[in-house]
Amino acid sequence: NAGVTQTPKFQVLKTGQSMTLQCAQDMNHNSMYWYRQDPGMGLRLIYYSASEGTTDKGEVPNGYNVSRLNKREFSLRLESAAPSQTSVYFCASSEGVGYSYNEQFFGPGTRLTVL
Amino acid sequence: QKEVEQDPGPLSVPEGAIVSLNCTYSNSAFQYFMWYRQYSRKGPELLMYTYSSGNKEDGRFTAQVDKSSKYISLFIRDSQPSDSATYLCAMSSGNTGKLIFGQGTTLQVKP
């Protein structure tokens, strides 16, 4: 099992460009999450999908959109990238609400730089 | 004020030292308390979790939760250079599945 995979691993964008970060999990998890990690800020939730067909905003959703394509895949789109979106982006998945402590499994991350 | 506060460090200790990592929180609804370990340029991995108050031990690691003080700790005994990583506390009320993370503490264990 690959667990949670993310593509691309690295990306450099110019201000105003758009891109989509891809995430897939092979653990048959119901819930998926997108976080960004900035120095001194920990992990901040951007969007999450509690189950296939649903998405909800997290703590820092502005400038992002998401799509839960199917149970396995959850993508994050930046429509018009800004330098403030320079960060490391992590996708995570979990069994979902109602499953004990709901451990989240993380992907390896995407390092995004916006010039 | 953040819901979860964690001193970002960095914390540097000699090999064999006892390490204490701590987080405070403000939301009394939190019931699940976790510690994630993140190696450089990797994703976080769950190290330990505790439900409600009390202690939990796993090898060299001990997690403590004091809900009355809204304070959680992770102790590492006989620290090793391989323990060098960022340690993130995380908490959940269990109702939504969402986790609230602390800022993370960067630990370096010197040989």
Side-chain angles (χ1 to χ4, degrees):
Chain A
N1 288 349
V4 179
T5 57
Q6 293 182 235
T7 56
K9 287 186 168 51
F10 303 92
Q11 185 70 49
V12 178
L13 293 177
K14 294 180 180 178
T15 298
Q17 287 185 318
S18 62
M19 78 162 295
T20 299
L21 282 66
Q22 306 286 355
C23 174
Q25 52 91 9
D26 62 2
M27 295 174 281
N28 200 34
H29 284 168
N30 293 305
S31 299
M32 297 185 74
Y33 312 82
W34 276 107
Y35 293 90
R36 60 178 289 172
Q37 186 174 37
D38 303 292
M41 302 293 288
L43 287 161
R44 293 184 292 170
L45 184 64
I46 304 171
Y47 271 93
Y48 69 103
S49 172
S51 60
E52 188 178 356
T54 69
T55 60
D56 283 290
K57 294 178 180 179
E59 181 185 355
V60 288
N62 291 345
Y64 305 95
N65 285 302
V66 291
S67 295
R68 183 76 183 265
L69 305 169
N70 48 55
K71 192 171 185 179
R72 288 187 65 247
E73 298 172 289
F74 189 37
S75 63
L76 178 72
R77 182 161 178 83
L78 286 70
E79 290 291 352
S80 179
S84 61
Q85 294 178 305
T86 293
S87 188
V88 181
Y89 291 85
F90 288 100
C91 177
S93 71
S94 69
E95 288 181 307
V97 177
Y99 289 89
S100 65
Y101 58 93
N102 201 34
E103 177 183 356
Q104 292 187 14
F105 295 82
F106 286 81
T110 295
R111 294 183 174 272
L112 175 66
T113 300
V114 182
L115 302 175
Chain B
Q1 184 184 0
K2 292 181 181 293
E3 275 191 290
V4 179
E5 296 278 0
Q6 183 177 9
D7 186 344
L11 183 62
S12 182
V13 301
E15 183 175 355
I18 296 174
V19 177
S20 173
L21 304 169
N22 312 293
C23 289
T24 59
Y25 63 95
S26 58
N27 188 345
S28 57
F30 288 148
Q31 298 184 73
Y32 297 94
F33 302 91
M34 296 159 220
W35 287 95
Y36 279 79
R37 180 172 60 193
Q38 184 178 21
Y39 290 114
S40 181
R41 295 183 173 269
K42 301 289 187 183
E45 293 180 310
L46 182 68
L47 183 62
M48 295 187 71
Y49 92 94
T50 309
Y51 173 70
S52 194
S53 283
N55 294 357
K56 187 171 185 177
E57 189 173 322
D58 183 2
R60 296 184 294 110
F61 298 89
T62 300
Q64 287 186 352
V65 175
D66 181 349
K67 291 190 73 178
S68 62
S69 300
K70 295 189 176 68
Y71 188 88
I72 72 170
S73 300
L74 177 71
F75 297 96
I76 307 174
R77 290 184 301 279
D78 187 25
S79 56
Q80 302 295 309
S82 58
D83 295 328
S84 297
T86 296
Y87 291 81
L88 298 133
C89 62
M91 306 178 190
S92 169
S93 65
N95 294 329
T96 65
K98 292 191 291 184
L99 295 178
I100 308 299
F101 284 86
Q103 295 94 316
T105 299
T106 299
L107 170 67
Q108 183 181 26
V109 181
K110 294 185 175 180

